[in-house]
Each structure stands twice: as C-alpha cells, then as structure tokens.
Amino acid sequence: MDTVNPLLTGKPYPLGASVDDNGVNFALFSEHATQVVLCIFDEFGLNEKHYVLTRKTRQVWHGYLEGATDGTLYGYRVYGPYQPLLGHRFNHHKLLLDPYAKQLIGELEPNDANYGYQLDSDDSDLSFCDKDNAKYMPKCRVFDDRTLRNTPVKRLNIPLEQTIIYETHVKGFSVLNPEVNDDIKGTYAGFAAPSSIQYLKQLGVNCVELLPVQSFFNEPFLIEKNLSNYWGYNSIGFFAPNAAYMSGESITEFRDMVDSLHDAGIEVILDVVYNHTAEGSRLGPTLSFRGIDNANYYRLVSNEQRLYINDTGCGNTFNSNHPQVLQLIMDSLRYWVEVMGVDGFRFDLASCLGRETYGFDPGCGFFDALSQDPVLCQVKLIAEPWDIGPGGYQLGNYPIAFSEWNDRYRDTMRRFWRGDHGMLPEFARRFHGSGDLFEHHGRGPAASINFITSHDGYTLKDLVSYNERHNLANGEDNRDGHHENLSANYGEEGQTSLQEINLVRKRQQRNFLATLLLSQGVPMMLCGDEMGHSQQGNNNAYCQDNSICWIDWKSIDWSLVEFTSQLIRLRKQFPILCHREFIHEPEGKCDSGFVWYSRHGEPMSKRQWSESHTRTLAVMINSEVLPPYQQPQALLLLLNADTDAQTFTLPSMKGFSAWKCLMSSQSDNDDSPQQAQSNDENQPKLQSRSLMLFHAQLHVSPDKE
C-alpha cells in the first residue's frame, strides 16, 4: 500500500464520487473521524494507493483526484476511536464501501478480517481486530452518470387509481424462461427481453414492483447453511444496482430495462430498504457505515451505545433522523428517479422511517422531506406500514402522499373465502377501499394497496393447498415464517390427485384473483399467482434462490393466466372499478355509488349484516357517465363463500338493460361465462365457493328519465 501526495482540495458536495472532464471529486461524511484515506485500486482490485483527504467542510471530508476517470476502483479507510461503549467503531484496517457508490465490483468473501473485532475474543465486540480485509471486499467503481442524466425519461404518469401492480423478482422471473437467451437469464436484460415484456403486456399489468435491486449482501448465518438472501432485504449500497442481476459490467443495463418497460406502457416501482443495513447487529461485520461513523448512521440505545436499537428485527436500525443520513436517503431516491428512471418506491418497514425519538409521527422529518421535494413528490410512494418496534403498526396513519400495503384487506379476503363466520361487514369495508382507514385523512381508495399474497408468505396456489407451513428447506427446523396463514387445503395437505379437491382449489384461486381485481383500491398481484406457481408450502422463501421461487415457464396454468388477463381487461374497461374518491350509497339512479344486497336481491338490512353464519353477499356499483361510455353503467358482483350452492335473485334496475354475465369463477371456460347460470336468467345458481359478475347500462339518457 503506497501513500502518495495529497489530493487537490475538491468540494464537499455532491457526496460520493463525481466525474468531470479532468478527474473525480470524492466526498464522504463523517463527524467523528480523525482522518479519512481514499484508497485507489488497479483494474484488478489488488494494488492499493492511499490519498489522505485533508480538507473537511461541515463534517464532510473531500478531495479531488486529477486524471481519475469513469471506472476507477476505490474504497475508504477511516481513522477514529474504537470505543464501542460510546458508539464508536472506527477501524482503519477495514476497507469501507462509499455509501454513495454507484457500482460495486466483486463479491464480499466471508472472512474473519471483515469484522472490526476479534471473533475468537472473550471480550467479543469490545476487542479490536487489526487484520486487513481489502482482498475480501468488493470495490466501489466510479460511474460517470452525466449521459444518463441528460437522457430524458419517458414518463407514463399512470394515475395511481388505474395502476395494476405486479410484484416480482428480477432473477426469478426470467431465469427459467426458455424464450430468454441463456446469457441474460435472470438479469435486468432478461427481465426486459421481448418475451418477458410480451408476457407482461399479454397479462395486462401496467406496473412492476421489483423486490430489492439495490446492492445487498448475504447474511453470515445463511452462508454457513449454504443458502443466500434471495429476496434482497439486506442492503449495503443504496445507489448501486445489485451486480448479480447484471449480464455484464455496465449499470446502464438497469436504465435500459426501465426504458424498455416504459416503451411497453409499464411503470417500475422499486422495493427499497432504508430501515437497516447488511452490517447487522454489534456482532456483524464492518463494511461501510459502521466504520465511517457508527454513532450517526445507526440508532443506538441511549444509555448503552454499544447496542443497536433493533426495530427492524435485522440487528440494526438506520438513523434517518440524522440530517446527513436523511440526505443520503433523499439523494438515493432522487438518483433512482432522475438517473435510473423509476416511477416510485415501496418502503420496507416504513414505520422505522417515520419514528422520531418519541415514537411514530406522520409529520416526521423524512415524510416532510419527501412531500416538499420537487422530484419525489411526483412519484408513487407506498409504505409497508409496520415494523416490530414500539407502536410500529400504523396502517392508515401515513401522510396523504402515501399509499399503504393493506394487510387487513389480505386477511379479510382470506377469511371470507375460507368460509369463516361473521365476515360480511369487514368484507364490505375492505372491498369498498377501506374508507374506515383512509377516508378520514382525505385520501381516496388508491391509498389502499390491496393484496391477497406477496413475496412474504404463501403463493396463491399454496394458500389453497396447505394448512401448515413447510419451511424445512430454510434450515430452521420449520420454526420460521408466519404460523397462522388463514389458509386451507380443502381435504389434503399439498399436491393431490383428488379431482374434487383440485377443482375447489382452482375455483378459490379464481375467486381471490377476481375479488382483488374488482375491489376499489390499487390491486397488487404476486408474480406467479396467475400461473399457479407453488413454493411447495414454504411461506418464508427468502433464502431459496432456486426452483422453489423461480417461475417454471414450462408448467404454467394458461387457463388461469387468461382468466386473470380477462379480469384486468374488465378493470380497465370499467372506470367504475377504480374511482379516485370514495363513493357510498347513490342518491339517485344515475349517481355513482355502492349498494349491498342479500342473495335474495334485497338491500342488506342491519339484521342481515349481523348474521354471522351468512356467507353470501352481492354488491352493485353504479356510475354516472364516464368515458368511454355514453350511458350510466352498473356492475353487480355475486359472492358465494358457502360450502353449498346458492341461488341468487338479481335486483331489478328500472330503465337499465337486462343483466349480462361478464365472468364467473365457476368454470375454466372463460369464453362462455353464461353457461354457469341456471335456466332462470334472473336467478343464477352459484356453486359452492364461487362468484359471478354482471353488467347493465341505462337505456335512455338521464335527462329523459
């Protein structure tokens, strides 16, 4: 390691490595460091030269290296006190990643040298490790983003209420697709391959939500079990696209993917993890933030700063309350929007980001910063509205700019279709858009991100095939994952050859998909649910980077794909299904509104709402004249969650055309949904666990009535 002449002064902003025509400016925040050394490596990441950053402006260390270019490999060594009891864990023997690095080269190799303390010491993390870890660490790579910044993004600006989200994994989506070239399977390029995009267009979704694509590392305990963090919720680089999803070394591949999806009419939302990092608990490795300024980047226990506040359950909690850390998060978000072209974000464990020292606050600094930011206030913002910290469950309490994952919708729909008693009132509230949670805050139904399944839990097929979790492959003796999944196997656990069970399961999958796509709010589908994908009963497949999670394109249930596509077409066809505002009981025949009916065709009474044994319900949604229609429309959904067939009476609609069946979950024959009706067209018979959707429109214009 050579120490060379000092750098030029440079500038404290922007942070990170910034390229101009003559060199690269480097800037790194650290309040408590006593010295910061920039380490420049050769093209192989081996030979190391040291440049001392001698200038410090407002706690930002900075310098300018003439002649450095795009592609330069670098890292930092940061000097300061190693005093864990006071919250300081500086160790200059550890090569550290730049929090603003745009690209990471190489992999993190497991080694004791990656820890700031001696693993075999009796004092544990109070000891000091002087082993150098540079050869085991990835290197940061300078990226000149000026070309991408000057390339306009084709914004689709799809209204949130018209958005249909498809939650998916970059690798798992294409890695087994035989129509994707072998050299790009499982990559950003593979996700943007013609066959991939053609499938998404055929399905009809207009937004993909990608599981974490920011650089992440595998947890040591997974490596010990020969497993890996497949989902990616273990971030370390908030600017750098995960290198394992790249087919080459150019990170413009990610922007190319986004551009291709935009050209196909599909927006891109990123699942982002700013609540914790891959450095874990006090016993974790020193990779970046811990060695740069541990006391500021993490939330520490106030009276015992050796310990980390663990509101995430992942060992540490990122300190978004600190101005510089908040700036890091905001700069990262803007980078993904302005440079990489994405259209929004889903914030993992978002309550961590909204928690001040006194508790969760919808008016906290992070939410206020987002609301006033001229770039970020225009993109889609979705919160996972909980964490495991005190007061962490905050569904319905986020600022008006946010939509929220609605787990009460998920649980209600699972219980209703499972046949649980007393579900009618709760079903109605969730189907209506959860106005009880969001309307009083001035938000519309789009504040509710409705979902039946997500990456975290069962797939849809497994939801109707298993009573118990089957997570032995995770190496934790089946103790991990949710214990109660509100699922049912309908007679036999897992795969079965019994036709009567398989018919019920297929019908239930159609019921769930139909309910999701016909509800008010924003529907989010889990990739593979429309194909009949199974994870073999694993409800916590975060560490299964294999066929358990990968989509098997050779075993797709194409009838279910077509059924789902039909539902999406209906949702797009009828704006009545995605109102911007909450609508209630209509005052007039041609007003927008919801009317709930019993199966006898009569408006629901208070007594009927309280009948806990009743598992049938009907809802009619009216609309005034909405494009592309010239007449008011009405949709009628019949729901039978009973174990017996039930006959419904269709309500009379004076002045409207006869009810026409648009779809039914009773049959695989999607082309002829009317075949599922009885001979009396006004009294259709629904078999057990099924639904039907009808349509009617006004014969004459409203002013002639």
Side-chain angles (χ1 to χ4, degrees):
M1 294 181 288
D2 298 325
T3 301
V4 296
N5 293 331
L7 303 174
L8 299 180
T9 300
K11 301 177 295 184
Y13 192 84
L15 289 157
S18 305
V19 183
D20 63 25
D21 293 339
N22 299 313
V24 178
N25 189 82
F26 294 90
L28 180 76
F29 161 75
S30 180
E31 176 184 357
H32 298 104
T34 57
Q35 180 175 280
V36 174
V37 175
L38 172 68
C39 307
I40 299 295
F41 292 85
D42 63 22
E43 59 182 318
F44 306 106
L46 299 176
N47 295 321
E48 180 179 352
K49 292 184 178 181
H50 285 181
Y51 298 82
V52 178
L53 299 181
T54 58
R55 186 60 63 93
K56 182 181 180 182
T57 304
R58 297 180 181 177
Q59 300 173 350
V60 174
W61 303 75
H62 53 92
Y64 183 87
L65 182 58
E66 282 189 313
T69 61
D70 176 87
T72 298
L73 301 185
Y74 73 102
Y76 287 104
R77 295 181 184 274
V78 181
Y79 291 72
Y82 188 83
Q83 299 172 326
L85 295 177
L86 298 179
H88 300 308
R89 295 179 180 269
F90 294 98
N91 188 331
H92 62 274
H93 299 287
K94 312 305 169 185
L95 182 73
L96 304 175
L97 301 175
D98 180 2
Y100 278 77
K102 305 300 194 301
Q103 185 174 8
L104 301 183
I105 297 294
E107 298 182 359
L108 175 65
E109 298 181 25
N111 193 277
D112 291 358
N114 292 325
Y115 293 79
Y117 64 95
Q118 299 174 32
L119 288 178
D120 57 356
S121 171
D122 293 336
D123 293 328
S124 186
D125 63 307
L126 296 181
S127 62
F128 185 80
C129 175
D130 60 5
K131 296 178 182 178
D132 191 275
N133 74 331
K135 65 180 180 179
Y136 309 113
M137 283 289 291
K139 307 303 184 293
C140 305
R141 187 177 189 180
V142 174
F143 173 62
D144 186 354
D145 62 12
R146 289 177 294 176
T147 299
L148 284 186
R149 286 188 180 276
N150 294 327
T151 303
V153 178
K154 179 183 178 181
R155 297 290 176 195
L156 299 175
N157 296 318
I158 298 172
L160 183 57
E161 67 273 9
Q162 296 176 21
T163 302
I164 301 169
I165 300 174
Y166 190 72
E167 190 196 28
T168 186
H169 188 282
V170 168
K171 180 177 181 179
F173 183 75
S174 71
V175 69
L176 294 181
N177 190 341
E179 296 185 14
V180 174
N181 293 338
D182 289 344
D183 59 338
I184 61 171
K185 286 181 177 180
T187 68
Y188 304 120
F191 197 90
S195 61
S196 298
I197 289 182
Q198 180 57 38
Y199 175 80
L200 295 172
K201 291 179 65 176
Q202 173 188 341
L203 183 61
V205 296
N206 56 16
C207 178
V208 293
E209 181 175 306
L210 303 179
L211 266 68
V213 297
Q214 295 175 340
S215 290
F216 60 89
F217 290 158
N218 293 315
E219 294 90 335
F221 76 91
L222 288 178
I223 296 173
E224 292 175 2
K225 294 188 291 187
N226 293 318
L227 296 171
S228 62
N229 191 321
Y230 173 70
W231 286 351
Y233 291 91
N234 204 38
S235 298
I236 192 65
F238 295 129
F239 291 78
N242 189 46
Y245 303 155
M246 292 166 54
S247 62
E249 291 193 350
S250 174
I251 62 175
T252 58
E253 181 179 336
F254 182 91
R255 171 63 185 269
D256 292 341
M257 175 194 70
V258 173
D259 289 343
S260 296
L261 288 164
H262 284 171
D263 289 340
I266 300 170
E267 292 187 329
V268 179
I269 289 175
L270 299 188
D271 197 334
V272 288
V273 187
Y274 295 108
N275 57 76
H276 76 280
T277 79
E279 291 184 305
S281 71
R282 64 185 177 86
L283 300 179
T286 296
L287 308 171
S288 179
F289 310 98
R290 175 171 286 143
I292 294 172
D293 198 341
N294 183 73
N296 281 327
Y297 277 111
Y298 293 111
R299 295 179 182 174
L300 307 179
V301 176
S302 59
N303 60 349
E304 194 171 0
Q305 296 186 40
R306 175 188 185 182
L307 304 179
Y308 294 82
I309 292 174
N310 189 19
D311 291 337
T312 65
C314 299
N316 64 57
T317 303
F318 212 47
N319 187 16
S320 57
N321 297 131
H322 190 282
Q324 288 290 160
V325 181
L326 175 60
Q327 179 182 337
L328 167 69
I329 297 173
M330 297 296 290
D331 288 346
S332 168
L333 292 170
R334 278 192 297 270
Y335 177 80
W336 288 99
V337 173
E338 295 181 306
V339 179
M340 293 302 186
V342 305
D343 304 284
F345 304 94
R346 179 264 189 190
F347 294 91
D348 180 66
L349 300 181
S351 292
C352 285
L353 301 172
R355 185 178 283 107
E356 300 284 358
T357 55
Y358 48 83
F360 179 85
D361 185 352
C364 73
F366 174 66
F367 294 154
D368 286 347
L370 277 177
S371 298
Q372 62 78 42
D373 188 277
V375 173
L376 300 177
C377 72
Q378 301 183 62
V379 303
K380 293 178 170 67
L381 304 174
I382 300 172
E384 182 183 37
W386 52 76
D387 64 14
I388 67 169
Y393 188 79
Q394 293 292 333
L395 178 65
N397 293 328
Y398 276 72
I400 195 168
F402 276 85
S403 295
E404 302 174 36
W405 269 31
N406 191 344
D407 63 323
R408 287 184 62 178
Y409 177 95
R410 174 198 65 196
D411 293 349
T412 297
M413 298 312 170
R414 289 184 178 194
R415 294 184 62 194
F416 175 81
W417 283 113
R418 190 173 65 173
D420 291 12
H421 288 171
M423 294 306 301
L424 296 189
E426 185 72 359
F427 177 93
R429 284 189 284 268
R430 303 305 143 231
F431 186 88
H432 177 247
S434 297
D436 58 324
L437 298 174
F438 302 112
E439 189 172 15
H440 61 284
H441 288 312
R443 291 190 278 175
S448 178
I449 303 297
N450 299 330
F451 64 104
I452 306 295
T453 60
S454 67
H455 68 275
D456 188 4
Y458 279 146
T459 67
L460 184 58
K461 185 172 183 178
D462 289 352
L463 183 67
V464 300
S465 302
Y466 294 90
N467 284 345
E468 307 294 338
R469 64 193 178 195
H470 294 263
N471 298 353
L472 285 173
N474 296 352
E476 298 183 42
D477 297 324
N478 208 39
R479 295 189 303 268
D480 62 307
H482 297 293
H483 177 69
E484 175 54 73
N485 297 280
L486 304 174
S487 61
N489 65 20
Y490 302 101
E492 190 169 312
E493 189 78 349
Q495 188 173 349
T496 180
S497 59
L498 295 177
Q499 184 180 14
E500 60 270 26
I501 294 178
N502 285 326
L503 287 176
V504 172
R505 290 175 176 178
K506 287 187 175 183
R507 199 157 63 245
Q508 287 288 60
Q509 289 176 75
R510 294 194 291 269
N511 290 333
F512 280 121
L513 288 166
T515 305
L516 176 65
L517 287 160
L518 298 176
S519 296
Q520 298 292 305
V522 178
M524 185 188 77
M525 300 168 47
L526 173 63
C527 170
D529 279 357
E530 80 286 3
M531 307 175 184
H533 174 66
S534 171
Q535 291 178 173
Q536 304 171 27
N538 193 320
N539 74 349
N540 189 34
Y542 76 104
C543 56
Q544 300 299 324
D545 188 1
N546 50 49
S547 59
I548 291 178
C549 288
W550 300 342
I551 297 300
D552 182 1
W553 290 86
K554 295 181 179 179
S555 302
I556 291 177
D557 183 348
W558 286 106
S559 66
L560 189 58
V561 173
E562 176 51 35
F563 180 82
T564 308
S565 182
Q566 179 198 15
L567 285 167
I568 293 175
R569 290 195 296 270
L570 287 172
R571 186 173 181 88
K572 292 179 177 179
Q573 181 181 349
F574 294 103
I576 192 174
L577 293 173
C578 43
H579 267 275
R580 293 192 65 216
E581 309 294 337
F582 282 102
I583 55 174
H584 300 279
E585 188 170 348
E587 297 181 3
K589 177 168 59 177
C590 299
D591 295 332
S592 293
F594 272 68
V595 182
W596 296 94
Y597 292 91
S598 71
R599 69 179 178 88
H600 303 294
E602 302 169 345
M604 289 285 287
S605 65
K606 290 184 178 180
R607 178 185 60 81
Q608 289 171 316
W609 281 116
S610 63
E611 292 176 346
S612 64
H613 63 280
T614 302
R615 301 171 184 166
T616 58
L617 191 63
V619 58
M620 183 170 64
I621 315 173
N622 297 337
S623 81
E624 69 276 13
V625 178
L626 291 173
Y629 298 99
Q630 301 302 314
Q631 304 292 349
Q633 309 289 310
L635 293 174
L636 177 67
L637 179 63
L638 311 181
L639 303 140
N640 178 24
D642 211 320
T643 54
D644 297 321
Q646 299 288 348
T647 299
F648 284 69
T649 298
L650 303 183
S652 174
M653 288 286 289
K654 182 180 178 181
F656 278 73
S657 62
W659 290 109
K660 176 184 177 183
C661 183
L662 297 179
M663 58 78 60
S664 168
S665 69
Q666 300 181 83
S667 171
D668 280 323
N669 187 352
D670 301 314
D671 296 329
S672 302
Q674 296 87 344
Q675 291 180 4
Q677 299 185 64
S678 65
N679 292 330
D680 186 344
E681 62 180 13
N682 290 316
Q683 288 192 312
K685 186 174 184 179
L686 273 67
Q687 66 187 113
S688 66
R689 301 187 180 98
S690 64
L691 56 74
M692 297 180 72
L693 180 68
F694 292 83
H695 170 252
Q697 67 179 27
L698 194 67
H699 276 310
V700 295
S701 59
D703 59 356
K704 294 182 180 180
E705 274 294 299

